[in-house]
Amino acid sequence: MNSLQNDTFLRALLKQPVEYTPIWMMRQAGRYLPEYKATRAQAGSFLELCKNTDLATEVTIQPLDRFDLDAAILFSDILTVPDAMGLGLYFSEGEGPKFERALQHEADIAKLTVPDMAKLQYVFDAVSSIRRALNGRVPLIGFSGSPFTLACYMVEGGSSKEFRTIKSMMYARPDLLYKILDTNAQAVTAYLNAQIEAGAQAVQIFDTWGGVLSDAAFEEFSLRYMKQITDGLKREHEGRRVPVILFTKGGGLWLEKMAQTGADALGLDWSCNIGEARRRVGDKVALQGNFDPFALFGTPESIRNEAARILAAFGEGSGHVFNLGHGINQHTNPEHAKLLVDSVHELSRQYHSSK
Ligand code: CP3
């Protein structure tokens, strides 16, 4: 396999010395880039884009050709797994993801099983193809949704504001939700291990909705199943450690508990101070994120200042991967994204004096 020309991202995740703070942006391939919209139109739809190896490779590389990013992320979606379970994923314009068959009845839940990974072969093919196209330029991140976040979409049948259906199930029939979460955890473990086999050099678990839970429910219904996954993942491949990143949006209160799972790094949204987060987790994990994606709607000067503030709050030494606290918004000016990437590279060098 080709050797990596820039492994700064992987070193930062393992808290090894780096020359500058590496950066990538959640949803870096997406609708804020006109070239993405053009390729998506060529594919016909978002799902067809995910399933077309060449076009999925193309959109993964697009942001790297524009910005000096330190990692690529597989172009796909977290909902490929429930789709492979037979729930019938589709996207209705302007409404986000939907399932034809939401999982709400006991009989359907009893029938839920780990899907045959052959149904997700298009994802593993995309991983291998992207690795070939990257040719060692930067590492490739694989990803999946957390069992709880996947369950939110599976039970609600799409996006939700209140999570009334899944929370009703959680409080009234926890046994049904345990069954879904355990099946999801097994499926995600197999799915991420197959991405690692195909060439993913780090993996991230997106727990986008863990933050809507109470403290006790987060541990019981989200964290526990993310730990089940980290325990089951292949942690070394091609002679290198494959770091695991856990990202719970709104999970700032639970960082100590999350650091106990055996993950290598935790993702932060923008609601906590990264310096305090670092003191709380100590040496256990690296941290990723913290920049409010809407700070990209400020001025060039305010964007630079916000990047400087976060870098200073983290302070000296390795263990920070700069990122947005959530996905980049589709109305973001790409020039502002470029300014952020360049500012982070430039301003972070002072915190990494290679002695
Ligand atoms: O970061 C990247 O560039 C990789 C690609 C990526 C996508 N989805 C592409 C996508 C990743 C990592 C995801 C993860 C994902 N998908 C999450 C977790 C991260 C998060 O944002 O919280 C979630 C919750 C989903 C489910 C999902 N997929 C939603 C809610 C939507 C609609 C939201 C929207 O912005 O319209 C999607 C669609 C989606 N996934 C798009 C992209 C680029 C937009 C689809 C389009 O082109 O129309």
Side-chain angles (χ1 to χ4, degrees), residues 312-355:
F314 185 84
E316 299 248 322
S318 186
H320 181 203
V321 170
F322 206 100
N323 203 326
L324 312 182
H326 198 209
I328 191 165
N329 181 273
Q330 61 169 311
H331 303 293
T332 305
N333 177 350
E335 283 308 311
H336 285 188
K338 178 172 167 45
L339 180 89
L340 176 67
V341 173
D342 293 343
S343 300
V344 167
H345 283 161
E346 182 196 325
L347 297 169
S348 63
R349 288 191 180 264
Q350 59 184 303
Y351 301 106
H352 301 284
S353 48
S354 36
K355 291 174 191 111

Side-chain angles (χ1 to χ4, degrees), residues 24-31 36 40 46 73-79 91 96-97 143 153 159 206 208 326:
W24 68 279
M25 294 179 292
M26 258 188 250
R27 293 275 186 95
Q28 62 193 22
R31 286 167 296 185
Y36 168 83
R40 182 179 178 273
F46 170 68
I73 179 159
L74 161 71
F75 189 81
S76 192
D77 200 79
I78 63 167
L79 301 177
F91 284 81
F143 70 89
Y153 290 97
S159 301
F206 285 95
T208 305
H326 198 209

Side-chain angles (χ1 to χ4, degrees), residues 31 79 89-99 153 157-159:
R31 286 167 296 185
L79 301 177
L89 176 65
Y90 67 99
F91 284 81
S92 59
E93 207 54 52
E95 281 185 83
K98 292 237 192 296
F99 285 112
Y153 290 97
S159 301

Side-chain angles (χ1 to χ4, degrees), residues 95-109:
E95 281 185 83
K98 292 237 192 296
F99 285 112
E100 279 161 29
R101 293 168 288 281
L103 201 58
Q104 293 168 351
H105 302 295
E106 187 162 1
D108 294 333
I109 295 167

